[in-house]
Amino acid sequence: DVQLVESGGGSVQAGGSLRLSCAASGYTYSSNCMGWFRQAPGKEREGVAAIWNGGGGTYYAASVKGRFTISQDNAKNTVYLQMNSLKPEDTAMYYCAADPQCIGTWSGFVYWGQGTQVTVS
């Protein structure tokens, strides 16, 4: 079974930083196409950042561009989300996701982690 396990969430004051990690197992990681989504209470889930083709391509939502950085360590089958200058509006459950076919759109992400909570006050 494919498993994506997030870690690194927590509570932080505005302006602070957090680094989320997502370890993949039971999954052929060769596609190297991973992403982070988030969902705040009462809101729809939104794509935050994605990395495709071994880091050759990255995408960020406008709301996080310049503050968040997605990266991956293929040797560890792990993808990271470095979040700096956090704002209260970044508060949400953050989910790691995998796009096994590297479709290149948000709809291609079909494997999901259980989520890790980020709270910014």
Side-chain angles (χ1 to χ4, degrees):
D1 292 342
V2 174
Q3 283 194 323
L4 301 175
V5 181
E6 302 99 332
S7 61
S11 296
V12 64
Q13 291 188 337
S17 298
L18 284 173
R19 187 194 195 202
L20 306 183
S21 299
C22 172
S25 62
Y27 167 59
T28 303
Y29 199 70
S30 60
S31 68
N32 299 331
C33 297
M34 303 290 291
W36 288 94
F37 291 70
R38 67 185 181 187
Q39 187 168 21
K43 294 187 177 181
E44 292 187 356
R45 185 168 57 190
E46 63 172 344
V48 173
I51 187 165
W52 287 290
N53 298 322
T58 56
Y59 174 82
Y60 297 94
S63 58
V64 306
K65 197 169 186 179
R67 300 187 298 121
F68 290 12
T69 302
I70 188 170
S71 62
Q72 60 189 171
D73 184 335
N74 295 332
K76 297 181 179 180
N77 284 1
T78 300
V79 63
Y80 305 97
L81 185 67
Q82 178 66 44
M83 305 185 295
N84 298 329
S85 302
L86 283 161
K87 305 175 181 180
E89 51 263 45
D90 293 318
T91 295
M93 184 71 79
Y94 282 72
Y95 298 90
C96 171
D99 173 2
Q101 298 184 38
C102 288
I103 293 176
T105 65
W106 296 124
S107 63
F109 291 93
V110 296
Y111 295 137
W112 297 89
Q114 82 289 346
T116 185
Q117 179 68 38
V118 172
T119 303
V120 185
S121 59

